Amino acid sequence: MEGVPGGGLPAGAATSMTQVSEGVWGWAGAEKVNASLSALQRDLGGKGKPKTQPCYEVIKGLWIGSSSCLPSVEDLEKGGVMATFAVGEDVPVVDDKKFMHNKIALPDENTGSLLPTFPKAFKAIREGIEDGGVFLYCQSRQGSSALATGYLMANEGMTFDDAWKKVQESCPECEELNRNLKRQLTTWAKWPEFPGLPEWM
């Protein structure tokens, strides 16, 4: 409509009936309709494609994703992935013997500690990339994006801000890191010689 960006409705305009909940109908105001249109346009990205993707490549060979939208074995193979890395207690592993599986049983992303695992995790990620590719994933992309950020700091010489910016640019679905994980990454940046867990753990 004329004068309304994106073809929405003028503010305050009455619209047709809409279903509020199962069996309940009411009038939808223009603001609600326009908000729904904007959300739909964001999700489709203006290209007719769903917003959610199984995984995103941060740098060559380093992929991150979510356990709620795991890529297929075929997709992982196309990306050159040879190893997977799950973060979380209840996160399923990719059920295929073609991949080397790693897992960090982080009980809670808001309170749990990744810091002790960094040295061994970064080593495993580097080896996975060298073998062709590694896929990091968790339930909310918090743990996987934190590991990817830390890896860029450890192996690409990036600052926390630059590493996190790279992860966010590569994976637009990654939300801001929670205070717990961000604090651990910034602490590790000041103490890169931190030995981590003993090799036998």
Side-chain angles (χ1 to χ4, degrees):
M1 292 187 177
E2 184 177 357
V4 182
L9 298 172
T15 65
S16 59
M17 295 285 284
T18 185
Q19 188 170 11
V20 178
S21 61
E22 186 175 357
V24 180
W25 292 76
W27 289 100
E31 288 75 13
K32 181 175 180 180
V33 173
N34 288 338
S36 297
L37 285 172
S38 296
L40 180 60
Q41 289 171 345
R42 285 197 304 271
D43 288 345
L44 295 179
K47 300 177 182 178
K49 295 181 180 179
K51 176 184 176 183
T52 300
Q53 293 185 26
C55 53
Y56 297 86
E57 189 170 33
V58 179
I59 58 174
K60 185 174 177 55
L62 176 59
W63 300 81
I64 61 176
S66 167
S67 61
S68 64
C69 188
L70 285 176
S72 66
V73 170
E74 292 74 17
D75 286 338
L76 289 175
E77 289 181 322
K78 288 178 182 177
V81 170
M82 298 297 291
T84 64
F85 214 122
V87 183
E89 284 189 330
D90 300 322
V91 178
V93 297
V94 179
D95 188 19
D96 196 283
K97 295 180 180 180
K98 296 177 182 178
F99 307 112
M100 174 69 71
H101 298 296
N102 302 277
K103 185 171 184 176
I104 296 176
L106 185 68
D108 187 337
E109 293 172 341
N110 293 303
T111 60
S113 180
L114 275 180
L115 183 61
T117 71
F118 281 168
K120 291 178 69 174
F122 297 158
K123 180 175 182 291
I125 292 171
R126 184 182 68 251
E127 291 173 348
I129 292 175
E130 290 173 350
D131 287 341
V134 61
F135 174 54
L136 315 179
Y137 65 101
C138 60
Q139 288 185 334
S140 65
R141 291 191 177 86
Q142 284 281 304
S144 56
S145 61
L147 274 186
T149 300
Y151 178 81
L152 294 179
M153 294 165 64
N155 290 269
E156 302 294 323
M158 294 185 181
T159 64
F160 168 78
D161 288 337
D162 288 343
W164 175 239
K165 181 180 179 181
K166 175 65 175 175
V167 171
Q168 281 191 309
E169 289 176 345
S170 304
C171 179
E173 293 181 50
C174 288
E175 298 181 356
E176 192 70 29
L177 284 175
N178 65 45
R179 292 179 59 186
N180 176 49
L181 296 177
K182 183 176 181 180
R183 183 175 64 249
Q184 292 180 57
L185 286 165
T186 53
T187 297
W188 182 83
K190 300 174 183 177
W191 190 19
E193 68 277 10
F194 176 69
L197 294 171
E199 284 298 321
W200 54 268
M201 295 185 69

Coordinates of all heavy atoms in Angstrom, one line a residue, residues 74-131:
E74 N 25.2 -36.7 5.0 CA 25.6 -36.3 3.6 C 26.1 -34.9 3.5 O 27.1 -34.6 2.9 CB 24.4 -36.5 2.6 CG 24.0 -38.0 2.4 CD 23.3 -38.6 3.5 OE1 22.8 -37.8 4.4 OE2 23.2 -39.9 3.6
D75 N 25.3 -34.0 4.2 CA 25.7 -32.6 4.3 C 27.1 -32.4 5.0 O 27.9 -31.6 4.5 CB 24.7 -31.7 5.0 CG 23.4 -31.5 4.1 OD1 23.5 -31.7 2.9 OD2 22.4 -31.2 4.7
L76 N 27.3 -33.1 6.0 CA 28.6 -33.0 6.7 C 29.7 -33.5 5.8 O 30.8 -32.9 5.8 CB 28.5 -33.9 8.0 CG 27.6 -33.3 9.2 CD1 27.6 -34.3 10.3 CD2 28.1 -32.0 9.6
E77 N 29.5 -34.6 5.1 CA 30.5 -35.1 4.2 C 30.8 -34.1 3.1 O 32.0 -34.0 2.7 CB 30.1 -36.4 3.7 CG 30.1 -37.6 4.7 CD 29.6 -38.9 4.1 OE1 28.7 -38.9 3.2 OE2 30.2 -39.9 4.5
K78 N 29.8 -33.5 2.6 CA 30.0 -32.5 1.5 C 30.8 -31.3 2.0 O 31.6 -30.7 1.3 CB 28.6 -31.9 1.1 CG 27.8 -32.9 0.2 CD 26.5 -32.3 -0.2 CE 25.7 -33.3 -1.0 NZ 24.3 -32.7 -1.3
G79 N 30.7 -31.0 3.3 CA 31.5 -29.9 3.9 C 32.9 -30.4 4.3 O 33.7 -29.6 4.9
G80 N 33.2 -31.6 4.1 CA 34.5 -32.2 4.4 C 34.7 -32.5 5.9 O 35.8 -32.7 6.4
V81 N 33.6 -32.5 6.6 CA 33.7 -32.8 8.1 C 34.1 -34.2 8.4 O 33.6 -35.2 7.8 CB 32.3 -32.5 8.7 CG1 32.3 -33.0 10.2 CG2 32.0 -31.0 8.7
M82 N 35.1 -34.3 9.2 CA 35.6 -35.7 9.6 C 35.4 -35.9 11.1 O 35.6 -37.0 11.6 CB 37.1 -35.8 9.3 CG 37.4 -35.7 7.8 SD 36.6 -37.0 6.9 CE 37.6 -38.4 7.4
A83 N 35.1 -34.8 11.9 CA 34.9 -34.9 13.3 C 33.8 -34.1 13.8 O 33.5 -33.0 13.2 CB 36.2 -34.5 14.0
T84 N 33.1 -34.5 14.9 CA 32.0 -33.7 15.4 C 32.4 -33.4 16.9 O 33.1 -34.2 17.5 CB 30.7 -34.4 15.4 OG1 30.7 -35.6 16.2 CG2 30.3 -34.8 14.0
F85 N 31.8 -32.3 17.4 CA 32.1 -31.9 18.8 C 30.8 -31.4 19.4 O 30.3 -30.4 19.1 CB 33.1 -30.8 18.8 CG 34.1 -30.8 20.0 CD1 35.4 -30.9 19.8 CD2 33.6 -30.7 21.3 CE1 36.3 -30.9 20.9 CE2 34.4 -30.8 22.3 CZ 35.8 -30.8 22.1
A86 N 30.2 -32.2 20.3 CA 29.0 -31.9 21.0 C 29.3 -31.2 22.4 O 30.2 -31.7 23.1 CB 28.1 -33.1 21.2
V87 N 28.5 -30.2 22.7 CA 28.7 -29.5 24.0 C 27.4 -29.5 24.7 O 26.4 -29.0 24.3 CB 29.1 -28.0 23.7 CG1 29.4 -27.3 25.1 CG2 30.4 -27.9 22.9
G88 N 27.4 -30.2 25.9 CA 26.2 -30.3 26.7 C 26.0 -31.8 27.1 O 26.4 -32.7 26.5
E89 N 25.3 -31.9 28.2 CA 25.0 -33.3 28.8 C 24.0 -34.1 28.0 O 24.2 -35.3 27.8 CB 24.5 -33.1 30.2 CG 25.6 -32.8 31.2 CD 25.1 -32.9 32.7 OE1 23.9 -32.7 32.9 OE2 25.9 -33.2 33.5
D90 N 23.0 -33.4 27.5 CA 21.9 -34.1 26.8 C 22.0 -34.0 25.3 O 21.0 -34.2 24.6 CB 20.6 -33.7 27.3 CG 20.4 -33.9 28.8 OD1 20.9 -35.0 29.3 OD2 19.8 -33.1 29.5
V91 N 23.1 -33.5 24.8 CA 23.2 -33.3 23.3 C 23.6 -34.6 22.7 O 24.5 -35.2 23.0 CB 24.3 -32.2 23.0 CG1 24.4 -32.0 21.5 CG2 23.9 -30.9 23.7
P92 N 22.8 -35.0 21.7 CA 23.0 -36.3 21.0 C 24.3 -36.2 20.1 O 24.6 -35.1 19.6 CB 21.8 -36.5 20.2 CG 21.3 -35.1 19.9 CD 21.6 -34.3 21.1
V93 N 24.9 -37.3 19.9 CA 26.1 -37.4 19.0 C 25.5 -37.7 17.6 O 24.5 -38.3 17.5 CB 27.1 -38.4 19.4 CG1 27.7 -38.0 20.8 CG2 26.6 -39.8 19.5
V94 N 26.2 -37.3 16.6 CA 25.8 -37.7 15.2 C 26.1 -39.2 15.1 O 27.2 -39.6 15.2 CB 26.7 -36.9 14.2 CG1 26.2 -37.3 12.8 CG2 26.4 -35.4 14.4
D95 N 25.0 -39.9 14.8 CA 25.1 -41.3 14.9 C 25.7 -41.9 13.6 O 24.9 -42.4 12.7 CB 23.7 -41.9 15.1 CG 23.7 -43.4 15.4 OD1 24.8 -43.9 15.7 OD2 22.7 -44.1 15.2
D96 N 27.0 -41.8 13.4 CA 27.6 -42.4 12.2 C 29.1 -42.6 12.6 O 29.8 -41.8 13.1 CB 27.5 -41.4 11.1 CG 27.8 -42.1 9.7 OD1 29.0 -42.4 9.5 OD2 26.8 -42.4 9.0
K97 N 29.5 -43.8 12.2 CA 30.9 -44.2 12.6 C 31.9 -43.6 11.7 O 33.1 -43.8 11.9 CB 31.0 -45.7 12.5 CG 30.1 -46.4 13.6 CD 30.3 -47.9 13.5 CE 29.4 -48.6 14.6 NZ 29.6 -50.1 14.5
K98 N 31.5 -42.8 10.7 CA 32.4 -42.2 9.8 C 33.1 -41.0 10.4 O 34.2 -40.6 10.0 CB 31.7 -41.6 8.5 CG 31.0 -42.7 7.7 CD 30.3 -42.1 6.5 CE 29.6 -43.2 5.7 NZ 28.8 -42.6 4.6
F99 N 32.6 -40.5 11.5 CA 33.1 -39.3 12.2 C 33.8 -39.6 13.5 O 33.4 -40.5 14.2 CB 32.0 -38.3 12.4 CG 31.3 -37.9 11.2 CD1 29.9 -38.3 11.1 CD2 31.8 -37.3 10.1 CE1 29.2 -38.0 10.0 CE2 31.1 -37.0 9.0 CZ 29.8 -37.3 8.9
M100 N 34.8 -38.8 13.8 CA 35.4 -38.9 15.1 C 34.6 -38.0 16.1 O 34.3 -36.9 15.8 CB 36.9 -38.4 15.1 CG 37.5 -38.2 16.5 SD 37.9 -39.9 17.2 CE 39.2 -40.4 16.2
H101 N 34.1 -38.6 17.1 CA 33.1 -37.9 18.0 C 33.8 -37.4 19.3 O 34.6 -38.1 19.9 CB 32.0 -38.8 18.4 CG 31.1 -39.3 17.3 ND1 30.4 -38.4 16.5 CD2 30.9 -40.5 16.8 CE1 29.8 -39.1 15.5 NE2 30.1 -40.4 15.7
N102 N 33.6 -36.1 19.6 CA 34.1 -35.5 20.9 C 32.9 -34.9 21.6 O 31.9 -34.6 21.0 CB 35.1 -34.4 20.6 CG 36.3 -34.8 19.7 OD1 37.2 -35.4 20.3 ND2 36.2 -34.6 18.4
K103 N 33.0 -34.9 22.9 CA 31.9 -34.3 23.7 C 32.4 -33.7 25.0 O 33.2 -34.2 25.7 CB 30.8 -35.4 24.0 CG 29.6 -34.8 24.7 CD 28.5 -35.9 24.8 CE 27.2 -35.3 25.4 NZ 26.1 -36.3 25.4
I104 N 31.8 -32.5 25.3 CA 32.0 -31.9 26.6 C 30.7 -31.9 27.3 O 29.7 -31.3 26.8 CB 32.5 -30.4 26.4 CG1 33.9 -30.4 25.7 CG2 32.6 -29.7 27.8 CD1 34.4 -29.0 25.5
A105 N 30.6 -32.5 28.4 CA 29.3 -32.7 29.1 C 29.1 -31.4 30.0 O 29.1 -31.5 31.2 CB 29.3 -33.9 30.0
L106 N 28.9 -30.3 29.4 CA 28.6 -29.1 30.1 C 27.2 -29.1 30.7 O 26.2 -29.1 29.9 CB 28.7 -27.9 29.1 CG 28.6 -26.5 29.7 CD1 29.8 -26.2 30.6 CD2 28.5 -25.4 28.7
P107 N 27.0 -29.1 32.0 CA 25.7 -29.3 32.6 C 24.8 -28.1 32.4 O 23.6 -28.2 32.2 CB 26.0 -29.5 34.1 CG 27.3 -28.8 34.3 CD 28.1 -29.0 33.0
D108 N 25.4 -26.9 32.4 CA 24.5 -25.7 32.3 C 25.4 -24.5 31.7 O 26.4 -24.2 32.2 CB 24.0 -25.2 33.7 CG 23.0 -24.1 33.6 OD1 23.1 -23.3 32.6 OD2 22.3 -23.9 34.5
E109 N 24.9 -24.0 30.5 CA 25.7 -23.0 29.8 C 25.8 -21.7 30.6 O 26.7 -20.9 30.4 CB 25.1 -22.7 28.5 CG 25.2 -23.9 27.5 CD 24.4 -23.7 26.2 OE1 23.5 -22.8 26.3 OE2 24.6 -24.3 25.2
N110 N 24.8 -21.5 31.5 CA 24.8 -20.3 32.3 C 25.7 -20.3 33.6 O 26.0 -19.3 34.1 CB 23.4 -19.9 32.7 CG 22.5 -19.5 31.5 OD1 22.9 -18.6 30.8 ND2 21.4 -20.2 31.4
T111 N 26.0 -21.5 34.0 CA 26.9 -21.7 35.2 C 28.0 -22.6 35.0 O 29.0 -22.6 35.8 CB 26.0 -22.2 36.4 OG1 25.4 -23.4 36.0 CG2 24.9 -21.2 36.7
G112 N 28.0 -23.5 34.1 CA 29.0 -24.5 33.9 C 30.3 -23.9 33.4 O 30.4 -22.8 32.9
S113 N 31.4 -24.7 33.5 CA 32.7 -24.2 33.2 C 33.3 -24.9 31.9 O 33.4 -26.2 31.9 CB 33.7 -24.4 34.3 OG 35.0 -24.0 34.0
L114 N 33.6 -24.1 30.9 CA 34.3 -24.6 29.7 C 35.8 -24.4 29.8 O 36.6 -25.1 29.2 CB 33.8 -23.9 28.5 CG 32.5 -24.4 27.8 CD1 32.2 -23.6 26.6 CD2 32.7 -25.9 27.3
L115 N 36.2 -23.5 30.6 CA 37.6 -23.0 30.7 C 38.6 -24.2 30.9 O 39.6 -24.3 30.2 CB 37.8 -22.0 31.9 CG 39.2 -21.4 32.0 CD1 39.6 -20.7 30.8 CD2 39.2 -20.5 33.2
P116 N 38.3 -25.1 31.8 CA 39.3 -26.2 32.0 C 39.4 -27.1 30.7 O 40.4 -27.8 30.6 CB 38.7 -27.1 33.2 CG 37.8 -26.1 33.9 CD 37.2 -25.2 32.8
T117 N 38.5 -27.1 29.9 CA 38.5 -28.0 28.7 C 39.2 -27.3 27.5 O 39.4 -28.0 26.5 CB 37.1 -28.4 28.3 OG1 36.4 -27.3 27.7 CG2 36.3 -28.9 29.5
F118 N 39.4 -26.0 27.5 CA 39.9 -25.3 26.4 C 41.1 -25.9 25.7 O 41.1 -26.1 24.5 CB 40.2 -23.8 26.7 CG 38.9 -22.9 26.8 CD1 39.0 -21.7 27.3 CD2 37.7 -23.4 26.3 CE1 37.9 -20.9 27.4 CE2 36.6 -22.6 26.4 CZ 36.7 -21.4 26.9
P119 N 42.2 -26.1 26.4 CA 43.4 -26.6 25.7 C 43.2 -27.9 24.9 O 43.6 -28.0 23.8 CB 44.4 -26.9 26.9 CG 44.0 -25.9 27.9 CD 42.5 -25.9 27.8
K120 N 42.5 -28.9 25.6 CA 42.3 -30.2 24.9 C 41.2 -30.0 23.7 O 41.3 -30.6 22.7 CB 41.8 -31.2 25.9 CG 42.8 -31.7 26.8 CD 42.3 -32.7 27.8 CE 41.9 -34.0 27.2 NZ 41.5 -35.1 28.1
A121 N 40.2 -29.1 24.0 CA 39.2 -28.9 23.0 C 39.8 -28.2 21.8 O 39.5 -28.6 20.6 CB 38.1 -28.1 23.6
F122 N 40.6 -27.2 22.0 CA 41.2 -26.5 20.8 C 42.1 -27.4 20.0 O 42.2 -27.3 18.8 CB 42.0 -25.3 21.3 CG 41.1 -24.2 22.0 CD1 41.6 -23.3 22.9 CD2 39.7 -24.2 21.8 CE1 40.8 -22.4 23.5 CE2 38.9 -23.3 22.4 CZ 39.5 -22.4 23.3
K123 N 42.8 -28.3 20.7 CA 43.7 -29.2 20.0 C 42.9 -30.2 19.2 O 43.2 -30.4 18.0 CB 44.5 -30.0 21.1 CG 45.4 -31.1 20.5 CD 46.3 -31.7 21.6 CE 47.3 -32.8 21.0 NZ 46.6 -33.9 20.5
A124 N 41.7 -30.7 19.7 CA 40.9 -31.6 19.0 C 40.2 -30.9 17.8 O 40.1 -31.4 16.7 CB 39.8 -32.1 19.9
I125 N 39.9 -29.6 17.9 CA 39.3 -28.8 16.9 C 40.3 -28.6 15.8 O 40.0 -28.8 14.6 CB 38.8 -27.5 17.4 CG1 37.6 -27.7 18.3 CG2 38.4 -26.5 16.2 CD1 37.1 -26.4 19.0
R126 N 41.5 -28.2 16.1 CA 42.6 -28.0 15.2 C 42.9 -29.3 14.3 O 43.0 -29.3 13.1 CB 43.9 -27.6 15.8 CG 45.0 -27.2 14.8 CD 46.3 -26.8 15.5 NE 46.9 -27.9 16.2 CZ 47.0 -28.0 17.5 NH1 46.4 -27.1 18.3 NH2 47.6 -29.1 18.1
E127 N 42.9 -30.4 15.0 CA 43.1 -31.7 14.3 C 42.0 -32.0 13.4 O 42.2 -32.6 12.3 CB 43.3 -32.8 15.4 CG 44.6 -32.7 16.1 CD 44.8 -33.7 17.3 OE1 43.7 -34.4 17.6 OE2 45.9 -33.8 17.9
G128 N 40.7 -31.7 13.8 CA 39.6 -32.0 13.0 C 39.6 -31.1 11.7 O 39.3 -31.6 10.6
I129 N 40.0 -29.9 11.9 CA 40.1 -29.0 10.7 C 41.2 -29.5 9.8 O 41.1 -29.5 8.5 CB 40.4 -27.5 11.1 CG1 39.2 -27.0 11.9 CG2 40.8 -26.7 9.9 CD1 39.5 -25.6 12.5
E130 N 42.3 -29.9 10.3 CA 43.4 -30.4 9.5 C 43.1 -31.7 8.8 O 43.5 -31.9 7.6 CB 44.7 -30.7 10.4 CG 45.3 -29.4 10.9 CD 46.4 -29.7 11.9 OE1 46.6 -30.9 12.4 OE2 47.1 -28.7 12.3
D131 N 42.2 -32.5 9.3 CA 41.7 -33.7 8.7 C 40.6 -33.4 7.6 O 40.3 -34.4 6.9 CB 41.2 -34.7 9.7 CG 42.3 -35.3 10.6 OD1 43.4 -35.3 10.1 OD2 41.9 -35.8 11.7

